[in-house]
Amino acid sequence: MRYLGIEPIRPRVGVFSFTCCEGCVLQLANKEETLGPFLEAIQVVNFREISTEKGADYEIALVEGSISRDDEVERLRQIRDQAKVLVALGTCAVFGGVNRLKDVFSPQEANRIVYGDQSRETAPIRAVHEVVPVDLSIPGCPISKVELERIVQHVALDLPWQFPEYPVCVECKQRFTVCMFDKGQLCLGPLTRAGCDAPCPAGGLGCWGCRGPAADPNHAEFDALVARRGFSRAQVQDRLSFFGGFPTEGSEEKP
Amino acid sequence: MLFKILTKDGFEQLVDGILESNEVIGPKRVATGANGKPIHQYLPVTSFGELDLDYETTEFPAKTYFLPYRETLSTFHFDEADWTQEIRYRIQPRAIVGLHACDINGLLKLDKVFGRDAFPSPYYLSRRRNTLVVGIDHMPCEGGFCQSVDAHVVSHGFDLFLTDLGDRYFVSIGSDRGFDLVGKVENREVSEDDTHAYLAVRRRISDAFKTHVRTQNLPTLLDLEFDSPVWKRWGDKCLSCGSCAMACPTCYCYGVNEEVSMDFTVGTKVKQLHSCNLVDFAMVAGDHNFRPSRESRLKYRYYHQHRGFAEAYDEPKCVGCNRCGRVCLAGINPPEVIADLHEEDRA
Ligand code: SF4
Ligand code: SF4
Ligand code: SF4
Ligand code: SF4
Ligand code: SF4
């Protein structure tokens, strides 16, 4: 279907999973009401969740998950070599995600807790961009299918895509959620990039920052305002480090 | 203006009468804040009892019933050779009950922007004309400075306006349809006692304001203090979260996005309210941003409220409800920011 006279591009897409829960890739197959046209807008050549096809002629690689083993590094490099465009899909791929919590333990200690005496190979968690260059990062734990559809439409029509730079609060207010802080609870909404439609404050959990920082997050004022409301440094640091998207105390590098 | 007296029961019957055929929106208690105070929102009700007319303020402004946060402006249907456009702005008639004077003044300001001039907005006007507005007097809300911007009283822009005289309402009638509604329930003429009681209540309200903002000559002061360090001081605190504009009854800045259906056969123009405090608000092609700093963005929100609008319409855009101050997690609020500017002027 031509849109405004433009013939949409149907890019060949490969989908690849690394260390994660595979929740983001599952999002690709969600939202049944538009699943048909979604899968028509792209050509899936490699996606084990929905097809047995294992093509190697993809132009766009969607990569979910973080990197935690040497064989994953090798596989990721091969994908990078093949793909024209490599997309980090979801918080694990973009920031390391919840997997990063493992790194508070040594690999030996982490192994002992999870596998007992059946120890496995594991290295400190890396986000995809820490291993190979990434062309587009789509954050979210899991990613938003609505947002992904819009990104795909931009790719199909060859238009530049722009994430919102503003924080989650905008979308939170626009759905009339009572502010978590008014209820005496913590929320990372003022620091976190919007685009998810703020489901977590609406669900009573507050934002945990899975989409990572909004443009120019005001950490100094955020620290001050949470302190004024009686939250401890530890509580706030805990929340900020949960998805690996924010610089936290003691972390050498800014993601 | 016409005035009548309604008993409290009479007013309940009046609202019940509207409810029989139309949607009624009003202040509803939705939660209790960590500070122990109830939190109210304007929401549809199914019975009179759900209204809490004694509320102090609401978290969100009533503007969202006239200028929704998101609305579809038009829809385009494409087929290979042709396309059709569909525009819908009609709404079912409805009533909004229990607005305070500041919020009705807010609507009057929006009327000036969207209801007049060369290009009135049919989307806004359809909602405004099809919404019956019933206002009510109340004691000043915490931090409210509507009196300083002349928004604590209102003489038009509503259908009915109630003042609570204890066992009865003193009703100001602002329209024919308001007059008809009052005529449908038991009512009586205003006596001299009623007038005295009404004026006494009005005086009690006027005397009860604790928060004052010096607005004399404010547009000029703002011009003089364009480079004041006050902006940096407050701007450094700003989270650029836009909550102030979302909560403000008169902030109306917006963006329009085109959304396309996944099968590329339908396109929609969607309008979404924005805020001049957001980083992306003044972003233009080529990644240029002509308000790159928090300080400049915060400053321009104040300039629109108290200078730009005042130049265009001879009155500030701000109605002094202090919703922006209450909602701001960083504690940025007009009474303190404007007081600081006056201080700076003296220093
Ligand atoms: S980002 Fe979240 S949903 Fe996506 S793969 Fe990681 S853990 Fe799963
Ligand atoms: S609940 Fe969180 S996201 Fe929502 S307005 Fe409050 S701080 Fe912002
Ligand atoms: S509200 Fe916060 S934690 Fe929830 S999806 Fe959005 S960014 Fe992620
Ligand atoms: S003034 Fe307050 S509410 Fe407004 S954008 Fe800044 S931090 Fe957010
Ligand atoms: S600027 Fe603040 S005080 Fe003024 S009308 Fe808007 S929300 Fe109310």
Side-chain angles (χ1 to χ4, degrees):
Chain A
M1 176 73 199
R2 286 158 69 88
Y3 183 77
L4 299 179
I6 307 169
E7 191 65 56
I9 305 161
R10 285 186 71 220
R12 288 191 306 282
V13 175
V15 183
F16 307 93
S17 300
F18 290 82
T19 301
C20 66
C21 77
E22 298 193 30
C24 285
V25 149
L26 209 58
Q27 284 291 78
L28 296 181
N30 265 347
K31 201 163 171 285
E32 282 110 51
E33 63 281 16
T34 53
L35 188 57
F38 176 75
L39 292 173
E40 255 164 54
I42 53 179
Q43 304 177 59
V44 178
V45 295
N46 195 323
F47 184 5
R48 73 180 168 91
E49 304 240 353
I50 60 164
S51 134
T52 51
E53 208 170 318
K54 280 224 156 58
D57 58 340
Y58 47 86
E59 302 152 301
I60 298 182
L62 302 182
V63 174
E64 74 162 349
S66 54
I67 307 305
S68 70
R69 287 196 317 256
D70 288 347
D71 62 307
E72 289 190 326
V73 172
E74 200 35 51
R75 200 171 134 239
L76 181 59
R77 289 206 174 114
Q78 281 165 15
I79 295 168
R80 176 70 272 187
D81 284 345
Q82 165 63 33
K84 279 207 205 92
V85 175
L86 189 142
V87 180
L89 192 72
T91 299
C92 293
V94 177
F95 301 117
V98 278
N99 307 320
R100 260 200 212 276
L101 294 176
K102 182 192 74 168
D103 294 344
V104 296
F105 304 101
S106 70
Q108 295 77 14
E109 178 70 355
N111 245 308
R112 197 188 53 74
I113 296 168
V114 179
Y115 297 113
D117 52 12
Q118 311 274 304
S119 133
R120 306 282 157 96
E121 185 204 335
T122 185
I125 292 296
R126 279 186 283 172
V128 171
H129 76 91
E130 293 174 278
V131 182
V132 296
V134 166
D135 301 300
L136 175 68
S137 294
I138 306 180
C141 183
I143 55 155
S144 145
K145 181 67 185 281
V146 176
E147 188 175 60
L148 182 70
E149 285 186 346
R150 302 206 61 207
I151 295 171
V152 166
Q153 291 163 357
H154 280 72
V155 172
L157 301 174
D158 200 17
L159 296 169
W161 166 255
Q162 182 85 50
F163 285 103
E165 303 281 5
Y166 51 75
V168 170
C169 296
V170 177
E171 292 171 348
C172 183
K173 287 282 180 257
Q174 293 195 341
R175 55 189 288 180
F176 302 95
T177 302
V178 174
C179 183
M180 299 304 293
F181 285 106
D182 285 344
K183 297 197 278 187
Q185 291 171 49
L186 190 58
C187 183
L188 297 186
L191 298 175
T192 306
R193 185 182 298 275
C196 57
D197 212 21
C200 306
L205 292 168
C207 174
W208 284 69
C210 81
R211 292 174 61 87
D216 196 18
N218 194 340
H219 280 282
E221 180 55 31
F222 187 77
D223 286 351
L225 80 90
V226 289
R228 279 199 299 275
R229 287 166 174 80
F231 298 100
S232 69
R233 295 277 319 150
Q235 262 175 305
V236 178
Q237 287 299 314
D238 236 32
R239 177 89 56 123
L240 281 168
S241 61
F242 193 80
F243 282 110
F246 289 93
T248 43
E249 270 163 19
S251 72
E252 316 90 72
E253 53 140 3
K254 262 174 109 135
Chain B
M1 180 119 52
L2 286 174
F3 305 100
K4 293 272 184 186
I5 298 294
L6 277 183
T7 61
K8 298 236 161 145
D9 284 347
F11 180 63
E12 180 169 346
Q13 282 164 24
L14 185 149
V15 173
D16 283 342
I18 307 173
L19 269 167
E20 274 168 28
S21 46
N22 292 110
E23 186 179 43
V24 174
I25 293 141
K28 251 175 112 166
R29 192 178 170 142
V30 293
T32 305
N35 58 6
K37 277 194 177 186
I39 297 175
H40 288 91
Q41 291 184 2
Y42 296 118
L43 288 171
V45 295
T46 51
S47 70
F48 183 82
E50 286 174 40
L51 294 169
D52 184 0
L53 293 174
D54 229 5
Y55 76 111
E56 186 182 330
T57 181
T58 55
E59 228 194 329
F60 294 94
K63 79 170 170 198
T64 60
Y65 288 98
F66 304 88
L67 277 187
Y69 287 135
R70 290 177 213 198
E71 83 183 304
T72 298
L73 297 180
S74 68
T75 309
F76 299 86
H77 299 270
F78 300 99
D79 62 45
E80 283 300 340
D82 206 2
W83 55 273
T84 51
Q85 184 186 20
E86 186 190 319
I87 297 179
R88 284 183 196 218
Y89 47 75
R90 290 193 171 195
I91 64 146
Q92 288 297 316
R94 61 187 175 194
I96 182 158
V97 174
L99 293 192
H100 291 163
C102 60
D103 284 326
I104 297 173
N105 277 305
L107 290 176
L108 287 170
K109 293 182 199 274
L110 293 179
D111 289 349
K112 294 191 169 147
V113 178
F114 293 104
R116 296 198 204 147
D117 290 344
F119 300 103
S121 158
Y123 302 89
Y124 176 81
L125 282 178
S126 159
R127 291 194 169 86
R128 181 73 165 112
R129 296 219 174 124
N130 282 304
T131 308
L132 180 102
V133 174
V134 181
I136 190 164
D137 256 337
H138 68 117
M139 293 305 278
C141 64
E142 195 190 320
F145 57 96
C146 52
Q147 192 179 41
S148 305
V149 283
D150 269 337
H152 64 311
V153 284
V154 63
S155 58
H156 62 296
F158 54 80
D159 295 280
L160 298 173
F161 196 90
L162 313 175
T163 302
D164 194 336
L165 301 185
D167 60 344
R168 62 199 189 282
Y169 286 120
F170 184 98
V171 186
S172 311
I173 299 174
S175 72
D176 291 352
R177 58 185 181 186
F179 183 79
D180 290 345
L181 276 172
V182 170
K184 285 188 187 155
V185 296
E186 202 191 315
N187 66 80
R188 64 169 174 80
E189 295 303 318
V190 173
S191 70
E192 210 164 301
D193 278 355
D194 296 325
T195 306
H196 284 304
Y198 166 75
L199 292 173
V201 169
R202 285 293 334 153
R203 248 192 325 271
R204 204 169 71 229
I205 294 171
S206 277
D207 292 347
F209 280 93
K210 293 202 186 76
T211 311
H212 303 279
V213 170
R214 270 175 61 199
T215 51
Q216 297 90 330
N217 216 16
L218 191 52
T220 309
L221 176 69
L222 286 168
D223 271 345
L224 292 171
E225 295 298 339
F226 191 80
D227 295 318
S228 164
V230 166
W231 298 118
K232 169 125 178 70
R233 208 148 63 226
W234 288 97
D236 279 351
K237 292 162 73 65
C238 181
L239 300 153
S240 307
C241 70
S243 292
C244 45
M246 298 306 140
C248 177
T250 63
C251 274
Y252 52 76
C253 293
Y254 64 91
V256 178
N257 267 322
E258 188 168 292
E259 291 179 7
V260 183
S261 70
M262 201 59 243
D263 62 2
F264 299 104
T265 60
V266 185
T268 4
K269 297 266 186 212
V270 181
K271 170 178 165 182
Q272 185 182 0
L273 295 195
H274 270 248
S275 161
C276 47
N277 286 77
L278 304 181
V279 173
D280 358 23
F281 186 78
M283 202 117 88
V284 295
D287 268 348
H288 296 293
N289 193 333
F290 50 91
R291 284 183 209 151
S293 70
R294 294 169 189 149
E295 166 190 348
S296 66
R297 293 191 293 269
L298 182 75
K299 173 161 73 182
Y300 275 102
R301 182 158 182 278
Y302 277 78
Y303 271 67
H304 191 195
Q305 294 292 348
H306 294 283
R307 184 187 170 281
F309 198 89
E311 286 212 331
Y313 301 103
D314 290 323
E315 56 184 272
K317 181 160 87 73
C318 173
V319 295
C321 67
N322 200 34
R323 281 192 182 89
C324 59
R326 271 188 298 267
V327 85
C328 180
L329 294 168
I332 302 169
N333 64 90
E336 284 189 76
V337 173
I338 295 171
D340 257 14
L341 283 171
H342 283 292
E343 274 304 306
E344 198 60 36
D345 195 36
R346 256 198 314 213

